[in-house]
Amino acid sequence: MWWMMNENGGHYCSKKTDGICSDFCGQESSRVLSMSRIRCILRGMDLKMYLLLFILVPTCVYGIYMHGQKISYFLRPIWESPPKQFNEIPHYYHENVSMENLCKLHGWGIREFPRRVYDAVLFSNELDILSLRWKELYPYITQFILLESNSTFTGTEKLLYFANHRDQFKFVEPRLTYGIVGGRSRKGENPFIEEAYQRVALDQLIKIAGISDDDLLIMSDVDEIPSRHTIDLLRWCDDIPSVLHLRLKNYLYSFEFLVDNNSWRASVHRYRTGTTRYAHYRQAGDILADAGWHCSFCFRHISEFIFKMKAYSHFDRVRFKRYLNPERIQRVICKGADLFDMLPEEYTFKEIIGKMGPIPHSYSAVHLPSYLLENADKYKFLLPGNCLRESG
């Protein structure tokens, strides 16, 4: 022990002192003793240590608060391995090649008659993209199935946008199965729970539409649009996989900003009663290359961007109120930057670094949905060179 009691009951310090903390000995209570230790430490610190403590540390804390999400995404390759690779099926197509030869090129047979095709979507507010989707797929769809809710995935009440604009879609009315599911409006709950709840309701609506075994069922979000010739191929060819994912070209804001060719969540199923369930995650290992387009956040009005940013399952990405500023959103769109100021969601440092920064502008409008090009004036905002949006 470095101290002991003296004869009079006081404290006796046998350890040498350096003058800085000479008054440390002689303290009578543990509380005073602890405070003395702190004072001793502080008195012994030089200017550099003070700068480190009061400037550098708060700066680091602020930096983590502001950019913690970026740091997490950049370090993702360390703590998360990439998913198992798909079995890529080459996609063959030319308008002058017969369907029999196209099926043969894919290693499939040809049917005597085509399968029936059902297209099922959950709808929020994407009226323009829904029009493009249904016009693209119209020749080959037996039944269009659409479910909407009066609540967003985040529990906020919303209008029934499709019901209020149903007159715009009279061309599908004879083939439309439409349903409404009441949202639970539970704010604070994980939004993926509400999303799953609505997908279960969509399962029931699909059955009401009259689907049967071996009919084709398209499972994808509204903005994940399979190309017309892809669906025609799958309905005519025999021996196609029971579940086939579709690799789509991945666009952001419009067809001017091509992110990559890696959108994979869309899928086509050969329906099986009691087995097929509507889902939006990986369900099989096979994927058909170059099968359509995924145009994310492809809205006409700035107000629609703001609505989706607050309403969809990843609303937690809106970390600061300024992200919802209309002027900022317009600047971000024209620049091809990220609305949430995030790094790319990739699994290798090479891919992350390669995709950092704004998306390069593309000036090609080749191989886009035909209805888009036939109505270019109406959908000008989706074509290259037209980044300005209406306020709405």
Side-chain angles (χ1 to χ4, degrees):
M1 297 290 290
W2 61 273
W3 62 276
M4 62 182 70
M5 298 290 293
N6 64 18
E7 294 179 354
N8 298 323
H11 293 93
Y12 172 76
C13 181
S14 63
K15 184 177 180 180
K16 270 189 171 183
T17 62
D18 57 4
I20 296 177
C21 301
S22 58
D23 61 344
F24 179 74
C25 298
Q27 302 296 335
E28 294 185 357
S29 71
S30 59
R31 180 175 179 277
V32 174
L33 192 63
S34 297
M35 293 301 295
S36 296
R37 286 175 178 171
I38 295 173
R39 287 197 300 268
C40 176
I41 293 171
L42 293 176
R43 289 170 62 185
M45 291 171 56
D46 59 13
L47 180 60
K48 292 182 180 179
M49 188 65 69
Y50 279 116
L51 290 175
L52 176 66
L53 183 62
F54 295 110
I55 297 179
L56 183 59
V57 172
T59 300
C60 290
V61 172
Y62 178 74
I64 293 173
Y65 171 72
M66 293 294 293
H67 303 290
Q69 193 177 62
K70 286 186 177 181
I71 296 172
S72 174
Y73 272 74
F74 186 78
L75 298 178
R76 185 179 189 179
I78 296 176
W79 53 265
E80 186 172 355
S81 300
K84 183 180 178 181
Q85 289 188 341
F86 281 100
N87 172 40
E88 298 275 351
I89 299 177
H91 190 171
Y92 302 93
Y93 172 73
H94 191 281
E95 58 187 9
N96 293 328
V97 177
S98 69
M99 186 59 70
E100 182 177 3
N101 282 335
L102 289 174
C103 290
K104 184 178 180 180
L105 284 167
H106 291 84
W108 303 326
I110 183 75
R111 294 169 56 89
E112 293 184 5
F113 53 88
R115 294 182 181 86
R116 300 193 305 170
V117 185
Y118 290 73
D119 179 42
V121 295
L122 286 177
F123 183 77
S124 178
N125 68 325
E126 312 96 327
L127 293 168
D128 288 308
I129 291 295
L130 182 65
S131 293
L132 290 183
R133 178 192 184 92
W134 281 359
K135 287 289 187 178
E136 174 69 17
L137 297 177
Y138 182 80
Y140 306 126
I141 301 299
T142 304
Q143 197 73 13
F144 294 95
I145 305 166
L146 183 144
L147 179 72
E148 74 172 330
S149 173
N150 61 356
S151 171
T152 68
F153 292 157
T154 56
T156 303
E157 290 188 13
K158 77 171 192 65
L159 298 175
L160 297 174
Y161 287 97
F162 181 82
N164 294 338
H165 297 83
R166 191 163 178 169
D167 287 347
Q168 298 179 19
F169 301 93
K170 287 182 178 180
F171 67 98
V172 302
E173 198 66 45
R175 296 190 238 164
L176 176 63
T177 299
Y178 171 65
I180 299 173
V181 59
R184 299 176 302 159
S185 299
R186 297 182 181 179
K187 290 188 176 182
E189 184 179 66
N190 187 324
F192 289 100
I193 296 177
E194 177 66 24
E195 181 176 349
Y197 165 74
Q198 293 188 24
R199 293 191 188 279
V200 170
L202 185 54
D203 265 329
Q204 301 305 312
L205 194 62
I206 291 168
K207 294 176 183 177
I208 293 172
I211 197 168
S212 301
D213 284 355
D214 208 42
D215 290 340
L216 294 185
L217 174 62
I218 303 172
M219 297 185 190
S220 69
D221 286 348
V222 173
D223 57 8
E224 296 167 338
I225 308 173
S227 63
R228 181 182 297 178
H229 66 80
T230 295
I231 299 306
D232 194 29
L233 175 77
L234 297 178
R235 75 190 190 114
W236 271 108
C237 295
D238 221 351
D239 304 319
I240 66 173
S242 58
V243 178
L244 180 62
H245 282 273
L246 305 179
R247 190 172 293 287
L248 311 179
K249 291 182 178 179
N250 206 11
Y251 293 90
L252 186 64
Y253 310 139
S254 73
F255 293 102
E256 179 174 351
F257 298 104
L258 177 60
V259 180
D260 54 37
N261 297 300
N262 296 332
S263 179
W264 56 265
R265 291 183 180 274
S267 58
V268 176
H269 299 241
R270 293 168 61 181
Y271 190 82
R272 290 288 180 271
T273 302
T275 301
T276 304
R277 295 287 183 271
Y278 196 96
H280 196 239
Y281 49 77
R282 181 166 176 169
Q283 302 175 71
D286 294 322
I287 191 167
L288 182 64
D290 198 6
W293 315 269
H294 179 194
C295 198
S296 184
F297 281 89
C298 291
F299 296 117
R300 182 187 298 271
H301 303 102
I302 294 293
S303 59
E304 294 174 284
F305 285 85
I306 296 173
F307 175 83
K308 180 169 182 177
M309 291 172 73
K310 296 191 296 184
Y312 85 139
S313 299
H314 297 287
F315 79 102
D316 57 310
R317 294 176 177 177
V318 185
R319 296 181 297 123
F320 305 105
K321 190 176 180 180
R322 60 184 172 83
Y323 284 6
L324 301 175
N325 180 278
E327 294 180 358
R328 174 191 175 272
I329 292 173
Q330 180 61 82
R331 289 195 303 270
V332 168
I333 294 170
C334 288
K335 189 178 179 181
D338 190 89
L339 282 171
F340 306 100
D341 196 24
M342 291 172 53
L343 290 181
E345 297 181 76
E346 300 295 344
Y347 295 93
T348 68
F349 290 115
K350 180 180 179 180
E351 291 174 326
I352 291 173
I353 295 172
K355 289 186 177 180
M356 288 175 65
I359 305 166
H361 294 256
S362 169
Y363 298 98
S364 171
V366 179
H367 301 305
L368 296 181
S370 59
Y371 184 74
L372 169 61
L373 299 181
E374 290 166 354
N375 297 270
D377 289 340
K378 181 178 180 180
Y379 297 103
K380 188 177 180 180
F381 69 97
L382 292 175
L383 295 172
N386 298 281
C387 67
L388 296 180
R389 293 299 191 264
E390 301 172 26
S391 59

